[in-house]
Amino acid sequence: MIFKSINPFTQTVIEEHEVLTNAQLNHKLQLAESAFKNWRTTTFQERADKMQKFANILRANKHELGLLITNEMGKILAEGIAEVEKSAGNCDFYAENAEKMLKDELYDTPFKSMSVYDPSGAVFAIMPWNYPFWQVLRYAAPAIMAGNVTLLKHAPNVIGCAKAIENAFLEAGFPEGVFQQIMIDIPQVESVIAADIVSGITLTGSEMAGSSVASLAGKHIKKSVLELGGSDAFIVLNDANLEKAATVATQSRMLNAGQACICAKRFIVTEKVADEFAHLFVTKVSALQQGNPLQNGINMGPLARIDLAEKLSYQLKHSLQQGAKILVGGEREHCNFQPTLIDFVDVNNIAFQEETFGPLATIIRAKDENDAIAIANNHRYGLASAIWTEDRERAYKLARKIEAGNVFVNSLVRSDSRIPFGGTKKSGYGRELSEIGIKEFMNMKSVIIE
């Protein structure tokens, strides 16, 4: 079987990649097992030196790597370069902080007692195409700094990015087998999960993929961390700074051509300010330029694949049939989908109920703040949300009522190496990043000394 990297703007084939045979896959698993025996014994300083060298390699090649991202999945070049830089920063963060995060924890008992954190083996990662460097290094940097090794199954359309990451790890001096990208097809996934060396599975992807992988992880008694779909609420209250809210709303929905789990998707606005907010939102969305992601002045590239563009077109069409009103956009040519805003969406509309993975923003009108919170929580996803109000104390109280893994007040929803990130409900479980994230795939061992 062959995986193809296809440029979404030109539709030309960049490269073809052969799927591993089962014998080749077994060799990779054996290599991971051998590498782990040695890597787990290295010091934090040895790991940090290599991880910082790896980060420097990313920075030195950020333009080339950013271009690779753009060519394989279509985001504008500036966003690709920024993704590489953010990934490098995450590697630095864990190089500098892993040892402190994993220090022994002492307990107040009459005898000496503590928890120690041991590396557990190989982390098997199934990662998506939308942030082909960040998604990988978000989990890989802490896992490797903790003394684990990792096996990456990347999305088939960004195998070039997977190979580039693996090559950078080797160039930085990491032993062969510490980081391996494995080109496998879905039927081969269970054999990796079942392998003795694999101690945990992390997946970022669809709800369906998460359900399948979680089932296999449970079958083989392996821990899993899942970041799945999102339909994030962006709540605008009467006293919000509407100009700033509309600016960030546009950024949050249209960044990466709207292809992110944490993009705001449901803009829930109180009736009193809905018309004014909608007008500002239309003005800002209308100013965006969609087109060739390598061209100066372009704010948004194409969607990553033709099937994604077709699905979004279907969702838009049915949303309008269900009573939504289009305010701007709606046109599509191949993978090029114009930034689109629709209004008067209700909870029964397909654009409310389903995740829309692309540049389609929906305005939902709420009676008041309590109605807005109820609408926000009326969804199976609970990844992130935002509240816009000038009353910080009220924002804090409302944030506690929202059913999500992350709530941002008056700012763009984003992931940060210092802060735990993850969702609830059908958006998954477990956390990445921060001290919480590095401990997800460690063996927390109690040691008692009388």
Side-chain angles (χ1 to χ4, degrees):
M1 183 174 177
I2 301 290
F3 290 151
K4 292 182 179 181
S5 294
I6 300 174
N7 184 305
F9 185 73
T10 65
Q11 290 295 298
T12 56
V13 176
I14 302 167
E15 193 174 354
E16 296 184 344
H17 312 274
E18 280 195 29
V19 170
L20 295 177
T21 65
N22 289 335
Q24 290 170 325
L25 176 58
N26 288 334
H27 174 71
K28 297 275 190 184
L29 291 167
Q30 290 167 9
L31 185 57
E33 189 167 2
S34 175
F36 176 61
K37 290 176 183 176
N38 295 317
W39 185 247
R40 67 178 302 170
T41 66
T42 55
T43 66
F44 281 105
Q45 190 58 56
E46 288 176 89
R47 299 170 199 165
D49 289 344
K50 289 180 172 57
M51 189 62 72
Q52 288 176 323
K53 184 177 180 182
F54 172 81
N56 289 334
I57 290 169
L58 293 187
R59 290 192 186 94
N61 296 281
K62 64 183 181 181
H63 292 283
E64 177 187 343
L65 297 174
L67 180 59
L68 175 61
I69 293 172
T70 296
N71 286 336
E72 285 205 307
M73 60 74 55
K75 70 178 63 182
I76 62 173
L77 183 57
E79 290 179 349
I81 292 170
E83 180 181 338
V84 175
E85 291 176 329
K86 183 175 182 178
S87 301
N90 191 56
C91 294
D92 284 337
F93 175 78
Y94 280 105
E96 295 163 6
N97 293 289
E99 183 172 12
K100 178 176 64 178
M101 291 173 169
L102 297 174
K103 68 180 185 297
D104 296 350
E105 293 183 22
L106 300 175
Y107 300 110
D108 185 13
T109 57
F111 43 86
K112 189 172 185 179
S113 60
M114 69 193 80
S115 289
V116 300
Y117 292 92
D118 293 339
S120 58
V123 177
F124 175 38
I126 302 172
M127 291 291 115
W129 47 263
N130 58 338
Y131 287 93
F133 272 68
W134 170 247
Q135 293 285 173
V136 171
L137 294 168
R138 188 167 77 178
Y139 90 84
I144 291 171
M145 278 303 305
N148 292 311
V149 299
T150 184
L151 298 153
L152 166 68
K153 179 197 180 303
H154 219 329
N157 57 326
V158 290
I159 296 298
C161 290
K163 289 180 175 180
I165 295 170
E166 183 177 44
N167 289 337
F169 270 110
L170 293 172
E171 185 181 343
F174 285 89
E176 191 178 8
V178 170
F179 180 98
Q180 295 183 84
Q181 63 84 23
I182 52 175
M183 287 173 288
I184 60 173
D185 199 14
I186 293 172
Q188 296 170 294
V189 166
E190 183 170 3
S191 64
V192 178
I193 293 174
D196 289 341
I197 182 58
V198 172
S199 57
I201 303 95
T202 181
L203 176 143
T204 299
S206 69
E207 182 183 340
M208 184 180 299
S211 176
S212 176
V213 167
S215 298
L216 293 173
K219 175 182 175 181
H220 294 284
I221 316 180
K222 305 289 177 77
K223 184 173 185 178
S224 58
V225 169
L226 305 178
E227 190 212 312
L228 309 178
S231 188
D232 292 0
F234 187 105
I235 300 169
V236 182
L237 301 182
N238 290 343
D239 66 339
N241 181 329
L242 296 183
E243 174 68 31
K244 185 178 178 183
T247 297
V248 176
T250 305
Q251 183 183 3
S252 182
R253 174 67 279 206
M254 303 302 171
L255 188 71
N256 205 39
Q259 301 169 117
C261 299
I262 58 170
C263 279
K265 299 182 176 79
R266 295 178 297 141
F267 296 85
I268 303 167
V269 189
T270 50
E271 289 177 345
K272 183 177 179 181
V273 296
D275 286 343
E276 185 179 355
F277 176 80
H279 173 73
L280 290 167
F281 205 176
V282 167
T283 301
K284 295 179 187 300
V285 170
S286 300
L288 297 176
Q289 296 297 314
Q290 190 281 329
N292 185 340
L294 297 177
Q295 184 177 320
N296 289 333
I298 294 297
N299 310 108
M300 181 191 302
L303 296 183
R305 298 192 312 261
I306 192 67
D307 61 303
L308 300 169
E310 289 170 348
K311 180 177 180 181
L312 194 64
S313 290
Y314 172 87
Q315 290 170 318
L316 174 60
K317 177 183 176 182
H318 281 263
S319 296
L320 299 177
Q321 290 173 349
Q322 291 174 312
K325 178 184 176 184
I326 193 163
L327 301 182
V328 64
E331 299 83 18
R332 177 179 76 88
E333 183 179 359
H334 303 300
C335 289
N336 294 286
F337 203 110
Q338 293 302 310
T340 302
L341 175 60
I342 59 176
D343 198 353
F344 301 103
V345 171
D346 62 36
V347 296
N348 297 311
N349 195 289
I350 188 173
F352 183 97
Q353 294 183 338
E354 293 185 2
E355 180 177 24
T356 52
F357 216 66
L360 171 61
T362 62
I363 295 177
I364 302 106
R365 296 175 179 237
K367 294 172 186 159
D368 52 34
E369 66 182 47
N370 291 326
D371 189 34
I373 297 297
I375 292 169
N377 289 338
N378 183 19
H379 208 284
R380 69 182 186 278
Y381 292 138
L383 187 56
S385 60
I387 301 174
W388 287 80
T389 173
E390 292 299 285
D391 187 336
R392 269 52 173 185
E393 184 60 32
R394 177 171 59 164
Y396 171 75
K397 291 176 181 177
L398 293 175
R400 298 295 297 265
K401 296 180 180 180
I402 290 180
E403 298 165 359
N406 312 266
V407 181
F408 286 68
V409 177
N410 297 336
S411 69
L412 177 73
V413 172
R414 60 200 180 277
S415 53
D416 185 305
S417 299
R418 299 163 293 184
I419 304 169
F421 184 85
T424 187
K425 298 183 179 180
K426 299 296 185 183
S427 289
Y429 51 75
R431 292 295 180 266
E432 291 186 294
L433 301 176
S434 80
E435 183 176 326
I436 303 297
I438 198 173
K439 290 178 177 176
E440 285 280 14
F441 294 110
M442 303 299 287
N443 174 30
M444 184 180 181
K445 182 167 64 183
S446 297
V447 177
I448 296 91
I449 303 173
E450 293 273 7

